[in-house]
Amino acid sequence: MTWIVWRQQRPVLITLAVGLVVGAATILLLRMLMINDINARNLLDCVAKGIDACQGSAVREFQNSWFDVMHVALAGMLVLPLLVGLFVGAPLFAREYEQGTHTLAFTQSVSRTRWMVTKFVVAGLPALVAVGVAQVVVRSWLLAAGKLGPFAAGPFYLTNFEGSGVSPIAYTVFAYTLGMFAGALFRRTLVAMTLTLVIFVAARFVLNGVRRLMLTPTRVVYDDPIDYRIERGPLYVDGGYLTPSGAEVDPASVSGKLNCAGRSYNTGDLVACYREHGLVKAYVDQIPVNQVMTLHLVEASIFAGAAVLFVLGSVWAVRRQV
């Protein structure tokens, strides 16, 4: 049974393996060239310090040469799970129905459950391994760039977060099982691929929008009401002002009414003006950097839960097929 499934999935898996080898080799070559460029420009200290501490033409030239290229690699990590869902998950059962080969499988001594499990593992496990290897290779390249690369924006930056931790694996499992379920339910590869694309993109968009609400934020209070900073690194959730009683004041509610910044105040007078209007402190609610792994796990659990439902739905859809 395993051999038959392997023969059916062989073209896709060979394509996946070749793409992984070529992609990994390309990234490792770019990593080596980038490290040579860092050494040639004497930017080794800047890798740890970042562009805030290192200025000059060498830093600008390095970023012009490598920053966008590294972001392309990160974007590839965001797309790779979707490709697995489209080209591995969606055709898994749908192609069997389209070609009629499921009839032969159903008339053999092998149970439908074993048939489904074998196809699920033989096709899905190599795809997960490929995504994991790609993630490790891309991360090694970005770590070599240090604070001169995309990681300088912090772990919560969109491409950094979604390309790190357990997120790529969680996205892959979600996309794979989604495509599998759509194919088993509608029995058409093109329909399954279309639904996988639409639902996957929509789910990622929604989860990205509510990500900051998944954990209880930490509040940072500034005694100076004009010292309202959003630091690079933590994930910003909310911010505003506090009255003497500690009540929150939305910045939008005082916009255009405060009339302090437009006057010729020095810093002390500007602070006094804010306090005269009842705004004695400023605050920022944020998720600190040390909670990035927790947020990864929370989001991954949502995708894993959806994947379990897709697997159960696939079992139901296959079992009801005559």
Side-chain angles (χ1 to χ4, degrees):
M1 182 65 191
T2 303
W3 174 248
I4 295 175
V5 173
W6 155 248
R7 290 292 298 269
Q8 290 176 324
Q9 299 297 324
R10 186 170 58 180
V12 174
L13 297 181
I14 290 176
T15 301
L16 185 67
V18 171
L20 177 63
V21 170
V22 172
T26 301
I27 291 174
L28 291 175
L29 176 61
L30 290 171
R31 182 180 184 274
M32 181 183 68
L33 295 175
M34 186 194 71
I35 292 175
N36 291 338
D37 194 17
I38 289 174
N39 293 329
R41 299 180 192 274
N42 295 317
L43 296 176
L44 197 57
D45 290 340
C46 297
V47 170
K49 296 178 181 178
I51 58 176
D52 293 335
C54 295
Q55 301 292 333
S57 60
V59 173
R60 291 193 298 271
E61 291 171 0
F62 174 84
Q63 294 232 307
N64 290 336
S65 300
W66 294 102
F67 200 80
D68 289 342
V69 181
M70 286 185 282
H71 265 296
V72 170
L74 276 173
M77 284 306 307
L78 303 187
V79 173
L80 188 56
L82 175 59
L83 295 179
V84 171
L86 292 176
F87 297 104
V88 182
L92 190 64
F93 295 128
R95 188 166 295 159
E96 294 268 8
Y97 292 132
E98 288 178 335
Q99 297 175 351
T101 53
H102 69 288
T103 304
L104 177 62
F106 290 172
T107 58
Q108 302 302 310
S109 59
V110 177
S111 67
R112 295 191 183 191
T113 301
R114 182 183 173 188
W115 178 72
M116 287 185 290
V117 170
T118 303
K119 289 181 69 66
F120 178 80
V121 174
V122 171
L125 188 58
L128 287 176
V129 171
V131 172
V133 172
Q135 179 184 356
V136 170
V137 174
V138 170
R139 183 172 178 79
S140 70
W141 181 21
L142 300 183
L143 286 175
K147 293 186 177 180
L148 293 180
F151 282 167
F156 290 112
Y157 186 73
L158 178 62
T159 52
N160 292 344
F161 183 87
E162 298 193 353
S164 303
V166 297
S167 291
I169 297 297
Y171 301 151
T172 303
V173 172
F174 174 80
Y176 175 62
T177 55
L178 169 60
M180 180 180 70
F181 172 61
L185 184 63
F186 294 100
R187 293 178 286 178
R188 293 292 183 270
T189 302
L190 184 58
V191 174
M193 294 176 72
T194 302
L195 286 174
T196 300
L197 174 62
V198 172
I199 296 175
F200 181 83
V201 172
R204 290 279 294 272
F205 179 80
V206 170
L207 265 294
N208 179 56
V210 300
R211 181 176 295 149
R212 65 187 68 240
L213 306 177
M214 293 180 182
L215 296 179
T216 302
T218 299
R219 172 160 295 186
V220 179
V221 178
Y222 300 97
D223 292 332
D224 188 338
I226 66 171
D227 190 12
Y228 186 81
R229 299 189 305 269
I230 300 177
E231 300 177 3
R232 179 186 298 177
L235 179 61
Y236 174 79
V237 177
D238 194 12
Y241 302 101
L242 298 176
T243 65
S245 63
E248 299 176 7
V249 180
D250 187 348
S253 67
V254 298
S255 178
K257 302 176 183 178
L258 203 49
N259 295 329
C260 290
R263 301 177 185 179
S264 57
Y265 288 105
N266 57 37
T267 301
D269 291 338
L270 189 58
V271 171
C273 178
Y274 271 65
R275 288 176 174 166
E276 287 173 3
H277 287 79
L279 309 180
V280 298
K281 294 182 179 181
Y283 75 91
V284 172
D285 289 338
Q286 59 190 21
I287 298 176
V289 172
N290 60 12
Q291 289 190 314
V292 64
M293 183 54 67
T294 303
L295 190 56
H296 272 300
L297 294 175
V298 170
E299 186 174 283
S301 66
I302 296 173
F303 282 105
V308 170
L309 294 179
F310 292 144
V311 170
L312 295 177
S314 300
V315 173
W316 169 80
V318 170
R319 283 187 174 278
R320 75 184 180 95
Q321 175 67 33
V322 282

